[in-house]
Amino acid sequence: MKKQVFLFLSLVGFLAIGTAQQKQITLEEIWGGAFRTEYMDVLRSMNNGKQYTVLNFSRSPRSSSLDKYDYKTLEKVETLVASGGDIPFFSSYSFSDDESQILLATEVEPIFRRSRLGIYYVYDLASKELVKIAETKIQEPTLSPDGSKVAYVLDNNIYVMELANRTTKQITTDGSKGTIINGVTDWVYEEEFGFVRAFEWNSDGTKIAFLRFDETNVPHFSMDMFGTGLYPYQHEFKYPKAGEDNSLVTLHLYDVASGNTSNVDLNNPYYIPRIKWMNNPNHLSVQTLNRHQNDLKLWSVDASSNSVSLLLEETDDAYVDVDDDLTFLADDSFIWTSEGDGYNHLYLYGKDGKLKNQITQGPWEVTRYYGYDKKNNRIYYQSVENGSINRDVYSIATNGKKKKRLTSKEGTNSASFSTDYTYFINTFSSATTPYEFTLHTASDGKLVKKIKDNAALSTKLEGYEFAPKEFSTININGYDLNMYMIKPVDFDPNKKYPLFMFQYSGPGSQSVSNSWMGSRDYWHQVLASEGYIVVCVDGRGTGLKGRDFKKLTQKELGKYEVEDQIAAAKKLSELPYIDEERTGIWGWSYGGFMSTNCILKGNDVFEMAIAVAPVTSWRFYDTIYTERYMETPQENPTGYDDNSPLNYPELLKGKYLLVHGSGDDNVHVQNTMRMIEALVQANKQFDWAIYPDKNHGIYGGNTSLHLFTKLTNFVKENL
């Protein structure tokens, strides 16, 4: 690699963890759970705002219990329900709105990333009666507001069970695998719009709104599953690749009293990514999108007449994000988030859809909306106002005044508020501090009490060789990009070290954040202990630095992001302690797409690359994600092909490792197989591995350990 330009690093913090360096972290410890962090599992505030519930587990003997705690004292008040006797082990729970009934999930098994099947029970807190909803596994059971009924999906149809007499009524009858889905989403909605349950009770339990998906014309996809039997079998489902047909989605209303179902005419929208009832039981909100996802409409549906009126419309030259921040106040005025001024902020609209005022503003992003305290007229939210790699919790009045910062530690803060907004439990972590859970007053953020921390893990890590992340910015292509660097513990500035870059780079993503480590961060520690300098740079197109920065890559995925990684590698090689002849890069999924492009288009810069589960052509990926950023292949063929590594395999010069799971329902192994064939026909040597039946995460049993052992060996042998 040739030296090119001078590097300027503006350090924003040097983080260190302890000084003891007796042992090196091992792969076996990472994937054996040696550094597992403690959490607070499934915490929910009770309606009284004074107490909360936590789902607790015991491993030996295997058991679960739902326990109630007092916010003020943090002491356990009582156990509401526990496994044992007739009550099986349960892994999740939810309350009816009036908290008279608890829905318990047992024998849960995944379908796709978010969807689950399970055996479910309803536990009556007053009578202690346990009701099994169905003998077979069902999806998305949801209690009515008063707890008298439960709606669920079985075999693509919606059912409602009356708990008092245990009678069940089937609402839809046309559900059929591969054609019609009622009440739950199809694959692409689940993956890209982020929800599974596609039905909602209204506020008084008299109506159910639901979506119906007709996926008859969606192309059929199948994967060979090898299993343990004599013959493989095929896993089949509908998967719309970019430019292909999506499901036809329609909205319907079911009246509980009459048993009648009616259709709501939304003028044939292409997508319906959200439905949500307002406080008025006859008022339903519906969000619709066009295929390009750059024109979002918020509709109001009058359920008494099925009449539809437009509340709000938002357009963008690129795309409009869909989220769950929409909140209706008592009079059905509502809070909305938008990038309208160039950054994601909160807005207040009247029930007529007219803007009242912008609540938050500034050159920073709101990252989470927590809720509205009617009594004190306060809105609670999380933002990156204190630097885009950090998160803090704030409150503000609906008129945008009297803003308060409620968290003080620099790092990543997130909150879980009591129902009456008296308290919040703050979850804090940073690059040097594993998760801490503390109780605070919501009015001023004052610490009430510490709940739980990971001090034992911190103490344990002091016994290991551990290199801190150095956070900085690096100026690339006219932008100050967020970056971190991990150096070996015994770093000597007079020596030369190989550079190994990690990134994800997908639209709106963030890899450089001041938060606690995941398993891949621990792996980077292993590499640092072996004498590698690990660097991560968030290039153009990543998130939390404004609309224009994020959407700059529109219609050109893989162009500007790759240019930034190549330029960053060149600039980093100017450092006297970087060996410019030993530069590698790796990534997973979008990051694998990036690392593959980097070693091809940057073949004079990178000597090695690893791509795990990569996209190799956006023509192979799903409609909703891909077309949001690229339009369709028919409309933008050069955008798809100019940055597809399938089209220039002859550029490969360095060492390249390609890894995929054959059971990946998300980024299909087709991507890797086509890349393999392209490289073979270009007569390029490379390494590859396929993990049978493993999905996009490539895990299970010893799989993660085996995979990262392979990756580690490849790095050590080739960089």
Side-chain angles (χ1 to χ4, degrees):
M1 184 193 301
K2 295 181 179 179
K3 294 184 179 179
Q4 303 226 2
V5 289
F6 178 75
L7 172 70
F8 175 74
L9 292 174
S10 62
L11 289 179
V12 296
F14 182 89
L15 307 177
I17 299 180
T19 57
Q21 302 162 3
Q22 294 112 3
K23 297 189 295 184
Q24 291 185 355
I25 292 171
T26 67
L27 301 178
E28 289 77 9
E29 287 174 311
I30 297 171
W31 281 279
F35 307 114
R36 186 178 290 113
T37 51
E38 295 290 330
Y39 294 97
M40 294 187 69
D41 294 318
V42 200
L43 182 150
R44 292 187 176 92
S45 177
M46 302 292 289
N47 288 343
N48 60 23
K50 309 302 179 187
Q51 297 165 326
Y52 62 92
T53 55
V54 174
L55 183 57
N56 291 312
F57 299 103
S58 176
R59 293 185 180 181
S60 181
R62 185 170 182 258
S63 62
S64 53
S65 64
L66 179 58
D67 300 314
K68 184 195 294 186
Y69 294 81
D70 183 83
Y71 273 110
K72 191 171 184 179
T73 66
L74 300 181
E75 297 293 328
K76 187 167 82 169
V77 176
E78 64 175 311
T79 294
L80 296 178
V81 60
S83 60
D86 294 333
I87 302 174
F89 175 88
F90 52 93
S91 56
S92 67
Y93 73 97
S94 61
F95 284 98
S96 58
D97 287 357
D98 65 359
E99 296 181 346
S100 64
Q101 311 278 353
I102 306 175
L103 184 69
L104 304 175
T106 74
E107 300 180 41
V108 174
E109 63 180 77
I111 303 173
F112 297 116
R113 190 193 296 260
R114 295 176 176 85
S115 51
R116 301 288 184 268
L117 283 167
I119 298 293
Y120 291 86
Y121 297 81
V122 176
Y123 181 76
D124 187 288
L125 278 171
S127 68
K128 312 300 182 187
E129 185 179 19
L130 187 71
V131 177
K132 191 175 188 179
I133 299 173
E135 292 300 321
T136 188
K137 291 191 174 184
I138 60 175
Q139 285 184 266
E140 300 298 318
T142 306
L143 289 160
S144 62
D146 64 358
S148 66
K149 304 174 186 68
V150 59
Y152 61 92
V153 174
L154 171 62
D155 295 333
N156 290 359
N157 282 311
I158 305 174
Y159 294 76
V160 172
M161 181 184 195
E162 188 86 37
L163 292 172
N165 55 24
R166 305 191 186 187
T167 58
T168 299
K169 184 172 184 178
Q170 186 171 346
I171 293 178
T172 64
T173 58
D174 59 348
S176 176
K177 180 177 174 58
T179 54
I180 304 299
I181 309 172
N182 294 290
V184 291
T185 54
D186 64 1
W187 185 95
V188 71
Y189 264 65
E190 172 183 336
E191 179 65 28
E192 307 301 355
F193 284 140
F195 73 110
V196 177
R197 179 163 57 86
F199 69 85
E200 297 281 346
W201 289 97
N202 68 347
S203 59
D204 64 4
T206 58
K207 290 181 171 61
I208 297 174
F210 68 92
L211 298 181
R212 176 184 185 270
F213 294 80
D214 183 347
E215 57 177 0
T216 303
N217 294 325
V218 177
H220 180 89
F221 186 81
S222 64
M223 300 185 299
D224 283 331
M225 304 300 289
F226 299 95
T228 58
L230 188 60
Y231 290 93
Y233 62 94
Q234 286 195 322
H235 177 53
E236 302 178 356
F237 57 101
K238 295 297 187 80
Y239 184 108
K241 292 181 184 285
E244 299 296 315
D245 288 340
N246 281 283
S247 293
L248 300 175
V249 187
T250 51
L251 174 66
H252 308 269
L253 294 176
Y254 172 75
D255 185 85
V256 175
S258 68
N260 294 327
T261 298
S262 58
N263 305 329
V264 179
D265 185 2
L266 296 171
N267 197 26
N268 298 318
Y270 199 79
Y271 294 121
I272 307 178
R274 293 291 187 272
I275 58 174
K276 185 173 186 175
W277 287 98
M278 304 182 198
N279 293 302
N280 185 316
N282 280 318
H283 292 172
L284 174 72
S285 74
V286 184
Q287 296 180 44
T288 64
L289 274 172
N290 61 333
R291 183 159 191 165
H292 284 171
Q293 300 174 62
N294 59 4
D295 186 348
L296 185 148
K297 294 182 174 70
L298 176 65
W299 302 92
S300 175
V301 177
D302 187 333
S304 62
S305 62
N306 280 13
S307 59
V308 178
S309 59
L310 183 65
L311 272 180
L312 178 151
E313 183 173 13
E314 188 164 333
T315 60
D316 191 284
D317 291 339
Y319 59 90
V320 181
D321 281 313
V322 173
D323 56 48
D324 294 308
D325 295 336
L326 173 62
T327 302
F328 290 96
L329 308 186
D331 63 350
D332 281 338
S333 58
F334 59 94
I335 295 165
W336 181 261
T337 52
S338 170
E339 293 179 325
D341 74 345
Y343 294 87
N344 192 55
H345 281 297
L346 295 164
Y347 294 78
L348 179 64
Y349 286 84
K351 64 180 180 180
D352 58 0
K354 293 182 179 179
L355 177 65
K356 287 188 172 182
N357 62 274
Q358 183 172 344
I359 301 168
T360 61
Q361 53 189 313
W364 44 269
E365 306 250 307
V366 170
T367 46
R368 285 188 68 181
Y369 165 77
Y370 290 118
Y372 171 66
D373 176 7
K374 177 182 177 182
K375 179 180 178 182
N376 297 298
N377 189 35
R378 304 290 291 177
I379 288 171
Y380 297 91
Y381 66 93
Q382 179 198 61
S383 78
V384 295
E385 189 169 355
N386 188 33
S388 59
I389 67 171
N390 298 311
R391 305 281 191 285
D392 277 292
V393 179
Y394 292 84
S395 72
I396 194 170
T398 54
N399 62 5
K401 297 180 179 180
K402 299 180 180 179
K403 180 170 66 175
K404 292 181 182 179
R405 180 181 172 186
L406 302 177
T407 50
S408 58
K409 288 188 175 183
E410 186 170 290
T412 299
N413 296 273
S414 62
S416 175
F417 284 85
S418 62
T419 304
D420 64 355
Y421 295 98
T422 299
Y423 301 104
F424 71 92
I425 292 175
N426 187 52
T427 302
F428 168 79
S429 79
S430 71
T432 60
T433 307
Y435 296 101
E436 297 177 348
F437 302 90
T438 50
L439 180 69
H440 301 256
T441 50
S443 59
D444 54 12
K446 182 180 178 181
L447 175 67
V448 177
K449 191 172 291 187
K450 294 180 180 179
I451 303 174
K452 181 187 288 191
D453 60 26
N454 281 276
L457 176 60
S458 296
T459 300
K460 182 176 184 176
L461 287 171
E462 290 176 3
Y464 286 83
E465 185 176 291
F466 202 93
K469 287 181 178 177
E470 300 176 20
F471 288 94
S472 62
T473 60
I474 180 171
N475 189 270
I476 297 294
N477 293 319
Y479 294 86
D480 290 328
L481 306 180
N482 291 338
M483 182 181 91
Y484 69 72
M485 178 182 289
I486 303 172
K487 298 172 182 174
V489 170
D490 59 354
F491 172 73
D492 182 348
N494 297 311
K495 291 183 178 180
K496 293 272 191 179
Y497 295 88
L499 172 66
F500 190 50
M501 298 179 70
F502 164 71
Q503 45 63 59
Y504 178 74
S505 302
S509 66
Q510 184 182 56
S511 296
V512 182
S513 67
N514 190 5
S515 57
W516 188 241
M517 302 188 301
S519 57
R520 295 173 197 175
D521 294 292
Y522 282 103
W523 182 55
H524 292 159
Q525 290 293 325
V526 172
L527 296 178
S529 71
E530 295 284 350
Y532 296 90
I533 288 180
V534 179
V535 167
C536 180
V537 176
D538 276 342
R540 286 174 288 178
T542 55
L544 309 181
K545 301 185 78 171
R547 178 230 176 257
D548 293 345
F549 184 83
K550 179 176 71 173
K551 295 179 179 178
L552 186 148
T553 61
Q554 193 71 8
K555 297 179 70 173
E556 293 279 4
L557 292 187
K559 175 177 169 57
Y560 300 105
E561 310 98 301
V562 170
E563 290 176 0
D564 286 351
Q565 296 300 318
I566 292 172
K570 289 179 178 179
K571 204 166 190 180
L572 288 164
S573 72
E574 285 293 305
L575 289 168
Y577 50 81
I578 296 294
D579 185 345
E580 61 182 358
E581 302 298 334
R582 300 169 68 192
T583 304
I585 187 168
W586 91 283
W588 198 304
S589 194
Y590 198 105
F593 163 71
M594 286 288 298
S595 60
T596 301
N597 270 314
C598 282
I599 200 170
L600 298 179
K601 292 192 172 185
N603 59 13
D604 61 335
V605 176
F606 293 97
E607 284 74 43
M608 184 271 279
I610 297 171
V612 183
V615 172
T616 59
S617 170
W618 290 108
R619 292 176 181 270
F620 299 152
Y621 202 54
D622 74 61
T623 48
I624 294 179
Y625 182 93
T626 309
E627 295 172 11
R628 180 184 302 150
Y629 311 115
M630 295 285 282
E631 297 185 349
T632 66
Q634 296 87 342
E635 296 166 310
N636 181 27
T638 58
Y640 278 78
D641 296 336
D642 288 353
N643 300 297
S644 167
L646 295 181
N647 294 322
Y648 35 87
E650 69 279 358
L651 298 182
L652 181 65
K653 292 182 181 178
K655 303 294 185 179
Y656 178 56
L657 173 61
L658 184 55
V659 180
H660 221 115
S662 73
D664 192 336
D665 65 283
N666 184 3
V667 179
H668 304 147
V669 74
Q670 172 189 22
N671 287 270
T672 283
M673 292 303 184
R674 289 286 291 271
M675 192 69 216
I676 289 170
E677 178 62 12
L679 290 167
V680 168
Q681 295 309 317
N683 198 27
K684 294 294 181 179
Q685 295 298 312
F686 62 99
D687 291 273
W688 59 288
I690 301 294
Y691 284 86
D693 297 346
K694 295 301 181 284
N695 65 16
H696 196 54
I698 312 182
Y699 60 87
N702 280 325
T703 304
S704 294
L705 176 59
H706 186 278
L707 169 60
F708 279 89
T709 300
K710 177 176 287 293
L711 303 190
T712 304
N713 292 339
F714 190 80
V715 172
K716 292 168 69 174
E717 292 166 5
N718 296 288
L719 190 62

